[in-house]
Amino acid sequence: MNVRILIPSFFSIMVCCCTFSFGQKNNALPKLITTNGCTQLYVNQKPFLVLGGELGNSSASSIAYMQPIWPKLKGMNLNTVLVPVYWELMEPVQGQFDFTLVDDMIQQARKYDLKLVLLWFGTWKNSMSCYAPAWAKLNPEKFERAKDSKGKKVEIFSAFNKNNLDADISAFTALMKHIRVIDGELNTVIMIQVENEIGMLTEAREYTNAANVAFLQKVPDQLINYLKTNRNNLVPEFLKMWEKNGFLTTGTWEEVFGKGLSTDELFQAWHYALYTNAVAAAGKNEYPVPMFVNAALNYKNVQPGEYPSAGPLPHLMDVWQAAAPKIDFLSPDFYNPYFRNYSDLYTRKANPFFIPEIRFEANNAAKAFYTFGHYKGIGFSPFSIESTDAPAEEPIAKAYGLLQQLAPVILQNQPLGKVEAVLLDSLNQKQEIVLGNYKLTLKHDHTLSWSPGAKKPNWPETGGIIIQTAANEFIISGTGIVVTFSTATNNGKTVGILQADEGIYDNGKWIPGRRMNGDQDHQGRHIGISTKEFAIQKVTVYQY
Ligand code: DGJ
């Protein structure tokens, strides 16, 4: 017997008491605000950097299993945890909801002063429908599966079946209503990921009867109108597809976009996006916090159908944006080595940048600095964050330790264009950035001939974030970087280091520590933070 069903949770009992105060506080909900083209997440009415980590898939299905994990997460300097909500456990009997796991998660998060991003493992999780409740799985007549072109059913619920959609909407709506009631005031839950890595396999589209009928119909006006309105702003990959047959504004999918797997994928993406939008819309109707979707990236050179297709991938950004306006942004999950390339693709079209998953490894630290500094990101989150035995020693824990201190100054300066970052390795040993009247040259620590490791063939990825806090003043933070300064104005002057202090921010207040002179700044030649260190320095420069 399922114990979870029998014990009414503290929060369930509180439901009635809290319902009425929500309306008054509605304007304080987590929300996205764009200033000077830079979108930030506001939590409790202040901008917020998500220093996150995502739990392994099954960890949050057991309260007992989670118990030793909470202090670990806190010990890694996270301020947010990304946790799944499992449809099968939340609605074990159709129409009967069990929020025990969600309630405990929220209580524990509050205890450890953490925020939550909930991942709705609903209709789809990594393409498949493994988290659909048994009552839905066992009734395939009603809750239809997708079929491949040979008519074989696959373990993927069809995006064209209204029963599937209604069931997901009903569960997701119940979840969002519950969160509103128990969390509408404190806002522990700050965002929601709708579904997880949606993507069709092993073909580019599904072949249920409804899908086949829809495929022969005209491209919907909603998409055509989007194409017309956004013609000059489409991602180039998609513009090319539309161009192929002469920018037609009427016709079937194959008439407008041509025959082939790319069109099949486009068609399926449209329907995935419509479905997900309907789920998000219903959820937001109950409780309108920011909602996003994530993508398994198609980085190998293979055809649609061979990778999880039709998800919120870079070449399909327009389709997703056109069909799913209730989805606030599209996010990449990083398990490939092409961090810059895909980050560049996902920051097109004013898409707010958030990384819900990245493989948990030592170079996360450098990439976190780059995400917040270069891409003005909202958040960063290594996957399976609890899978470490030395939480405080993890590079990401050290980076988050710095970023937590720096968050107010980063957030204040992101929209002002006064924040930049670098990401360095053996192939990219040097980067230049311009902030105000200064050009900063940042090199990998191992470019110094005396740096231990300089002779090694593969250098670790290093990086840092730089914030200009006054005309001649910079906050430099990171690991494995060497910084020199020159003027950006070609005024013939030389730039010297007037003063450099290592220090910490304590609740936004700068507290200087060591004066970094002599060997520490190579007798005034450069600012240095070795690969072994994670540090913040405040630097004042001058011109002569
Ligand atoms: C990406 C998925 O979104 C996660 O839930 C998990 O399955 C990881 N892949 C595993 O690498």
Side-chain angles (χ1 to χ4, degrees):
M1 185 173 291
N2 190 341
V3 179
R4 276 188 297 263
I5 300 173
L6 296 179
I7 308 169
S9 71
F10 166 76
F11 283 129
S12 312
I13 295 164
M14 291 295 288
V15 163
C16 300
C17 318
C18 304
T19 311
F20 296 110
S21 55
F22 167 74
Q24 297 148 17
K25 305 269 175 183
N26 201 348
N27 61 351
L29 287 187
K31 57 164 85 72
L32 296 168
I33 298 185
T34 303
T35 317
N36 293 337
C38 168
T39 301
Q40 296 182 311
L41 173 66
Y42 276 62
V43 174
N44 303 125
Q45 290 179 299
K46 283 201 233 113
F48 185 80
L49 281 192
V50 177
L51 308 178
E54 180 166 326
L55 294 177
N57 289 163
S58 299
S59 301
S61 64
S62 157
I63 291 174
Y65 188 87
M66 277 303 295
Q67 231 150 36
I69 291 177
W70 289 105
K72 219 184 205 187
L73 302 174
K74 195 64 190 167
M76 293 178 85
N77 298 314
L78 266 68
N79 63 14
T80 305
V81 194
L82 281 72
V83 292
V85 176
Y86 316 96
W87 185 11
E88 61 175 340
L89 297 181
M90 199 193 85
E91 195 183 3
V93 177
Q94 191 171 13
Q96 290 182 25
F97 298 103
D98 175 7
F99 296 112
T100 310
L101 291 173
V102 177
D103 291 350
D104 184 70
M105 204 70 66
I106 292 177
Q107 263 178 324
Q108 295 298 324
R110 285 181 189 163
K111 179 170 157 199
Y112 287 93
D113 192 23
L114 290 161
K115 297 289 183 187
L116 296 176
V117 172
L118 299 185
L119 316 171
W120 173 235
F121 284 9
T123 302
W124 297 295
K125 196 284 177 186
N126 297 31
S127 302
M128 310 301 282
S129 297
C130 50
Y131 285 97
W135 50 262
K137 281 183 181 162
L138 291 170
N139 192 351
E141 299 306 317
K142 181 166 181 193
F143 302 105
E144 204 183 359
R145 304 296 151 78
K147 283 183 188 159
D148 66 17
S149 53
K150 296 191 187 73
K152 186 176 166 9
K153 289 179 186 164
V154 288
E155 191 72 30
I156 298 174
F157 276 36
S158 170
F160 295 81
N161 180 281
K162 191 162 179 321
N163 295 328
N164 295 349
L165 177 60
D166 288 346
D168 193 325
I169 285 180
S170 149
F172 188 64
T173 306
L175 172 66
M176 295 313 293
K177 183 175 180 179
H178 185 72
I179 294 167
R180 158 167 64 85
V181 171
I182 65 169
D183 195 47
E185 286 202 29
L186 293 182
N187 307 138
T188 306
V189 175
I190 56 174
M191 293 200 288
I192 307 285
Q193 179 187 290
V194 189
E195 315 293 343
N196 188 84
E197 290 195 351
I198 297 166
M200 191 61 203
L201 284 171
T202 54
E203 309 221 21
R205 74 168 177 95
E206 54 173 283
Y207 289 84
T208 49
N209 288 341
N212 290 340
V213 169
F215 191 63
L216 297 176
Q217 280 161 16
K218 289 194 162 183
V219 175
D221 286 346
Q222 192 184 341
L223 180 54
I224 294 292
N225 290 339
Y226 175 93
L227 289 173
K228 288 188 199 156
T229 316
N230 293 278
R231 183 168 170 158
N232 296 326
N233 189 29
L234 300 174
V235 299
E237 309 91 294
F238 186 47
L239 183 70
K240 232 192 227 163
M241 281 193 70
W242 188 29
E243 186 180 16
K244 216 165 36 190
N245 283 358
F247 297 113
L248 291 183
T249 52
T250 183
T252 65
W253 292 86
E254 290 188 334
E255 283 163 358
V256 175
F257 299 109
K259 200 172 162 59
L261 291 177
S262 300
T263 297
D264 292 354
E265 184 188 32
L266 196 73
F267 162 78
Q268 183 72 27
W270 178 257
H271 287 279
Y272 272 150
L274 285 181
Y275 186 109
T276 312
N277 188 61
V279 174
K284 280 190 171 178
N285 224 10
E286 285 298 337
Y287 191 52
V289 293
M291 296 192 186
F292 65 95
V293 287
N294 63 333
L297 300 179
N298 56 333
Y299 64 99
K300 291 186 183 130
N301 204 9
V302 292
Q303 292 299 307
E306 294 173 48
Y307 58 83
S309 305
L313 289 160
H315 61 289
L316 300 170
M317 284 177 90
D318 285 298
V319 181
W320 274 84
Q321 286 190 342
K326 293 291 177 184
I327 296 294
D328 295 293
F329 54 87
L330 318 174
S331 283
D333 288 349
F334 279 103
Y335 295 89
N336 74 39
Y338 311 112
F339 184 76
R340 281 174 213 265
N341 314 29
Y342 279 89
S343 300
D344 288 347
L345 294 176
Y346 273 92
T347 44
R348 298 178 298 179
K349 301 191 66 67
N351 184 46
F353 194 52
F354 179 74
I355 301 178
E357 287 182 51
I358 183 163
R359 195 193 306 282
F360 186 14
E361 49 195 12
N363 62 18
N364 287 164
K367 289 184 171 132
F369 291 120
Y370 203 58
T371 296
F372 294 116
H374 181 68
Y375 292 112
K376 320 293 178 255
I378 289 172
F380 190 85
S381 164
F383 177 73
S384 197
I385 191 73
E386 73 279 36
S387 60
T388 171
D389 294 326
E393 296 313 309
E394 292 293 344
I396 191 66
K398 294 180 183 168
Y400 280 176
L402 302 180
L403 287 162
Q404 221 173 61
Q405 297 174 51
L406 290 166
V409 65
I410 294 174
L411 288 159
Q412 186 192 338
N413 286 288
Q414 269 182 340
L416 304 176
K418 291 185 175 178
V419 183
E420 248 305 344
V422 294
L423 183 59
L424 304 166
D425 56 28
S426 4
L427 296 176
N428 306 284
Q429 300 184 3
K430 176 178 123 176
Q431 255 179 268
E432 290 176 346
I433 60 176
V434 172
L435 286 169
N437 290 333
Y438 292 96
K439 183 161 84 183
L440 287 77
T441 303
L442 288 103
K443 292 189 183 164
H444 195 289
D445 172 53
H446 290 359
T447 57
L448 301 175
S449 57
W450 60 87
S451 142
K455 302 257 165 354
K456 290 191 181 150
N458 287 319
W459 296 354
E461 257 177 304
T462 63
I465 189 162
I466 300 94
I467 309 137
Q468 185 181 27
T469 43
N472 298 323
E473 185 185 272
F474 299 91
I475 300 294
I476 299 178
S477 179
T479 180
I481 50 173
V482 178
V483 192
T484 52
F485 302 84
S486 54
T487 64
T489 53
N490 288 330
N491 63 359
K493 295 199 171 167
T494 303
V495 180
I497 295 170
L498 191 63
Q499 174 181 327
D501 291 317
E502 190 179 55
I504 57 165
Y505 275 98
D506 185 13
N507 274 324
K509 187 171 177 295
W510 175 247
I511 305 193
R514 290 186 295 167
R515 172 60 49 93
M516 302 301 276
N517 211 335
D519 289 347
Q520 274 57 57
D521 73 349
H522 197 18
Q523 336 307 325
R525 292 183 185 90
H526 65 223
I527 299 301
I529 304 175
S530 78
T531 44
K532 288 214 176 84
E533 293 173 304
F534 282 79
I536 307 176
Q537 293 191 28
K538 184 179 223 175
V539 181
T540 310
V541 294
Y542 71 107
Q543 303 190 17
Y544 59 92

